Amino acid sequence: TRKPAAPATPPPPPEPAAEPVEVPKAPRRNPVFPVGVAYWPLDAETEAWGDWYKRPFEEDFDAFDEARLTLVRLFISWKMLEPQVGQYDEHALDRLEELVSGARERKLQVLVTFFADDRLAEMNDVPWGKKRDPRTDQYLVQRQVALVQKVVNRLRNETIIFAWDLANEAFLSGFEDTAALAEWARTMRDAIREVDTERPIIVSADPETLFRANAVDPRAAIDEGEFAVSHVTASYRAYAAEGPITSGPATYIDTFLLRSASRGLPVVLDEVGVQSLDNSPAEEAAYVRTVLYAALMNRAAGVVLRRYRDLDVERREPYFRDPWEVLVGVTDTEGREKPSWNEVKSFVKVAAHVDLKRYTLLPERTAVLIPSERYDPLPNLAGLYDPRSCLQAYISAKEAHVPVTVAREDDELSAYTVLIVPSVFHMSSATWERLAAFVQGGGSLVYSYGGGDADPLVREVFGVEFLGDHGARPALSCRVAQPDMLGPLVSFDAPLEVAHFALLGHGGATVVATDAKGSPLLTLNTYGQGRAAFVAVPMERAFAQGDPWAPPAAAKRMLRSVYGAVARAAGCGAPLACDNPSVEVALLNGESDDILLLLNHAPEKATAGLTFDRPARSIADVRGGKPAPVGDVSFGVPLEPNGTAALRITYE
């Protein structure tokens, strides 16, 4: 007789599924974050200047519409439109109108650039100009005024004109005097305003890269516009961080320049894309993806791609163009899509779901201060070292997940709670007085010694006696004296060449760490209602002058620990804890839910371990889909190499 079978154990009741997040239907395009592309007039080196926009454009514009782009940039050819003095080519003007009409039919807006140089189309080389400089020759400037007004008059009734762009950086680089550039821009702006009083007028130069290229400061010309642009040039990349474009400092340059260009105006991240043929299609796509997401995470007012099609070059090896490369597009010479174009289309769909009117980024109350000495001419080396030091400081703050921006020495400081002054040679006495007042009023200051004599206010603000510069050292040693006062510091010895070491005597500050011989390396002082941290070596400059892709890990960890600890104590630290310094985090707050954007700056797979200050109920892709229940304050998000994530988060 068989025994009766034991009753089966009933399965556990299923866990309740997370309630679906109501995702409003997104528009085809983000209405406040335009994405566009530069549509150059020539696509082959064998074409002549007279082939200006001669090819059929309909198929390309259809592709822009299918990809949900917002903007297309068109370039005026002075040589084409005014072949003889005062005589305009009506066929060329009709062609321009056809292009604008084609954009309108596809619900694209048009950014019209008047004076641009691509070292190929000879757009500004009017034969009757007799080789005079169109930037400074008064007769040619007046002819430019007439051309600008002719075009604006022709298109003034077009509602799709996004903005009038006076010139690109390649053209503006020919100016040799700051005042001359400002006067030229003002003349062109006044000419447009006589005809069109409404549409924005801009000068599409990046203030940092143009100054680096020819020592002309374009800020006065840019600041009169309605918005600004920023972009990386090949020469600036070689100067700031020459190396792999998908790792290390290269992945932060675009947003560093974006933050640097933001001085009260919205900034469009312009000329997005690779600048040479040195990279594989996968690397091109990874780079474009990182820049697009970083732009959205760092308050860009939109993005414009560098070029749609690859330039069809003559068959010769090797092939190089300088210095304003427009070689590489997001499709090949036949218009076939490359992986980078697919990244653009994917990003536009994500961006359309990020309602920047409903969700807001946390304010950046921490700033890296670029000193005014950056504009000093040679033989002062500050102009060479300071921007690179500030870039390294910006990267370290990002790796500490601190919301950070960039400020100038003469900016108003009251908008910030924490200021980082990295490896500076010299600041004016007036600036030191402003910094002292900033700290005394409750601000926090992180200052790394850059060499030379210290200002007398150093003793008062930082609570140390400056005893002189000990000089260069081939290695950096750290011995922690006060654990956890400036984050989770650890003692280390690292092969890092530092050009200076400030010898400090006791003046009331707390010594947080020393070198191997007991000289103070890190100090922290309370001054008035604020705090001031002193780093005795120019660490940021040492990172930039060494191998910026491989600085000693222990030294990098120390710097981001200091930045993060000072920001946390001031109430403006990371919006959430992330255990991976290579992952950039941006949190956009909404009324009932938040949007979390993640960007992996490393070319390897990574997992971001995230910890919130309250339990997350569920997470879901911003584009919709079934939410995943969480029910905890911590969870991990896997990311591909240079990968991204855009998540909608609800809370318990």
Side-chain angles (χ1 to χ4, degrees):
T1 304
R2 292 182 178 177
K3 295 182 180 180
T9 303
E15 295 183 4
E19 294 184 11
V21 178
E22 183 179 350
V23 180
K25 185 178 180 180
R28 292 191 78 244
R29 304 169 172 93
N30 190 317
V32 295
F33 191 88
V35 179
V37 63
Y39 194 60
W40 288 89
L42 301 183
D43 280 330
E45 210 176 23
T46 54
E47 293 178 323
W49 63 268
D51 294 321
W52 177 80
Y53 289 128
K54 189 175 181 179
R55 65 183 179 277
F57 64 86
E58 290 81 4
E59 183 178 344
D60 293 341
F61 279 26
D62 286 340
F64 301 162
D65 182 37
E66 187 271 335
R68 307 183 184 185
L69 297 190
T70 308
L71 289 173
V72 57
R73 170 180 253 135
L74 300 178
F75 298 90
I76 301 299
S77 172
W78 187 13
K79 187 173 184 177
M80 190 74 186
L81 267 63
E82 191 177 6
Q84 299 294 329
V85 179
Q87 298 181 11
Y88 297 100
D89 189 324
E90 290 298 323
H91 293 294
L93 289 167
D94 290 343
R95 182 58 172 169
L96 176 62
E97 282 194 313
E98 288 177 15
L99 289 161
V100 173
S101 177
R104 186 193 337 107
E105 292 171 2
R106 295 160 179 83
K107 296 182 172 59
L108 295 166
Q109 292 181 288
V110 176
L111 177 59
V112 178
T113 301
F114 286 107
F115 301 101
D117 198 345
D118 68 347
R119 304 293 194 263
L120 178 68
E122 300 176 346
M123 288 185 283
N124 302 301
D125 186 20
V126 288
W128 45 267
K130 298 180 180 179
K131 303 300 180 181
R132 291 176 292 188
D133 190 344
R135 301 161 188 83
T136 55
D137 183 88
Q138 288 305 304
Y139 176 73
L140 292 185
V141 169
Q142 290 308 309
R143 295 310 315 156
Q144 290 172 336
V145 166
L147 175 78
V148 164
Q149 292 186 328
K150 182 77 173 179
V151 172
V152 174
N153 255 315
R154 189 81 173 229
L155 302 178
R156 64 184 301 178
N157 294 324
E158 287 288 355
T159 58
I160 64 165
I161 300 299
F162 179 77
W164 306 111
D165 178 11
L166 299 184
N168 72 347
E169 189 164 321
F171 177 85
L172 297 170
S173 65
F175 281 95
E176 299 178 354
D177 180 78
T178 297
L181 169 57
E183 178 61 27
W184 179 88
R186 191 173 299 112
T187 300
M188 296 302 127
R189 181 180 177 84
D190 291 344
I192 293 174
R193 283 291 174 248
E194 289 181 8
V195 182
D196 184 348
T197 60
E198 297 180 0
R199 292 180 180 85
I201 301 173
I202 67 168
V203 175
S204 59
D206 181 282
E208 179 67 22
T209 62
L210 186 57
F211 182 81
R212 168 67 188 164
N214 64 348
V216 170
D217 185 356
R219 290 181 295 172
I222 293 170
D223 290 348
E224 292 190 15
E226 280 67 37
F227 63 88
V229 306
S230 72
H231 53 247
V232 181
T233 62
S235 58
Y236 191 86
R237 183 181 299 284
Y239 150 74
E242 185 177 24
I245 63 172
T246 58
S247 66
T251 59
Y252 292 94
I253 296 178
D254 293 85
T255 57
F256 174 73
L257 292 175
L258 171 69
R259 295 290 191 176
S260 178
S262 178
R263 299 181 316 281
L265 293 175
V267 182
V268 172
L269 188 52
D270 198 9
E271 298 189 11
V272 171
V274 298
Q275 298 165 317
S276 72
L277 300 173
D278 297 334
N279 308 286
S280 69
E283 289 172 325
E284 291 179 13
Y287 175 70
V288 169
R289 178 172 62 250
T290 59
V291 176
L292 291 175
Y293 276 86
L296 184 61
M297 298 166 73
N298 286 275
R299 298 189 187 276
V303 294
V304 177
L305 300 168
R306 181 182 301 277
R307 188 181 180 97
Y308 179 58
R309 289 177 186 252
D310 286 350
L311 183 69
D312 188 8
V313 301
E314 293 183 79
R315 301 299 179 255
R316 62 180 185 272
E317 297 292 343
Y319 181 81
F320 297 98
R321 286 180 65 82
D322 77 295
W324 313 98
E325 291 86 343
V326 289
L327 281 171
V328 185
V330 288
T331 64
D332 67 12
T333 56
E334 302 298 325
R336 289 185 291 263
E337 297 179 0
K338 295 161 68 173
S340 51
W341 181 240
N342 293 327
E343 293 293 344
V344 173
K345 294 194 290 185
S346 175
F347 170 77
V348 171
K349 293 177 182 177
V350 171
H353 284 82
V354 181
D355 187 347
L356 297 175
K357 296 180 180 178
R358 180 183 171 193
Y359 298 93
T360 56
L361 280 166
L362 294 178
E364 294 80 18
R365 292 160 53 201
T366 298
V368 175
L369 193 71
I370 299 181
S372 296
E373 65 178 5
R374 187 268 175 276
Y375 295 98
D376 292 343
L378 294 173
N380 190 327
L381 297 179
L384 298 176
Y385 293 143
D386 280 350
R388 298 175 67 189
S389 299
C390 290
L391 171 62
Q392 291 297 324
Y394 175 81
I395 294 171
S396 293
K398 283 288 187 182
E399 291 179 340
H401 306 110
V402 174
V404 63
T405 187
V406 176
R408 306 280 173 169
E409 185 176 331
D410 53 358
D411 286 351
E412 175 57 49
L413 304 181
S414 61
Y416 308 111
T417 305
V418 177
L419 290 175
I420 299 170
V421 183
S423 308
V424 172
F425 290 95
H426 172 77
M427 290 188 298
S428 69
S429 298
T431 298
W432 274 110
E433 291 173 1
R434 294 174 65 216
L435 290 175
F438 171 81
V439 178
Q440 192 170 38
S444 296
L445 176 64
V446 181
Y447 170 77
S448 57
Y449 173 67
D453 292 333
D455 191 274
L457 281 173
V458 164
R459 186 195 188 288
E460 185 177 341
V461 175
F462 294 99
V464 295
E465 290 284 356
F466 178 71
L467 304 178
D469 184 354
H470 189 267
R473 297 188 178 189
L476 180 66
S477 298
C478 174
R479 301 292 182 265
V480 178
Q482 298 289 337
D484 300 324
M485 181 168 278
L486 284 175
L489 297 174
V490 296
S491 300
F492 66 86
D493 296 288
L496 179 68
E497 291 190 16
V498 291
H500 308 278
F501 192 104
L503 296 177
L504 304 177
H506 183 68
T510 300
V511 177
V512 180
T514 69
D515 69 354
K517 296 182 178 180
S519 294
L521 176 65
L522 289 173
T523 66
L524 185 63
N525 186 51
T526 300
Y527 178 65
Q529 300 179 53
R531 304 203 309 166
F534 190 98
V535 184
V537 294
M539 293 192 66
E540 300 89 353
R541 193 190 308 160
F543 293 163
Q545 288 184 253
D547 183 355
W549 267 262
K556 285 282 289 182
R557 185 167 55 246
M558 183 192 93
L559 194 61
R560 66 172 175 263
S561 177
V562 172
Y563 288 177
V566 171
R568 281 194 304 274
C572 54
L576 62 144
C578 177
D579 63 0
N580 193 326
S582 296
V583 175
E584 184 174 352
V585 176
L587 187 66
L588 293 91
N589 293 139
E591 291 185 1
S592 59
D593 58 352
D594 292 344
I595 289 179
L596 177 67
L597 302 176
L598 302 175
L599 168 59
N600 180 15
H601 284 268
E604 302 88 20
K605 288 184 177 181
T607 297
L610 307 174
T611 301
F612 292 76
D613 58 1
R614 52 178 171 159
R617 184 178 188 180
S618 67
I619 58 173
D621 190 288
V622 294
R623 290 170 292 185
K626 185 177 180 180
V630 178
D632 198 351
V633 295
S634 299
F635 57 89
V637 179
L639 297 168
E640 293 297 314
N642 300 115
T644 59
L647 305 173
R648 193 180 305 274
I649 302 175
T650 61
Y651 300 95
E652 296 287 4

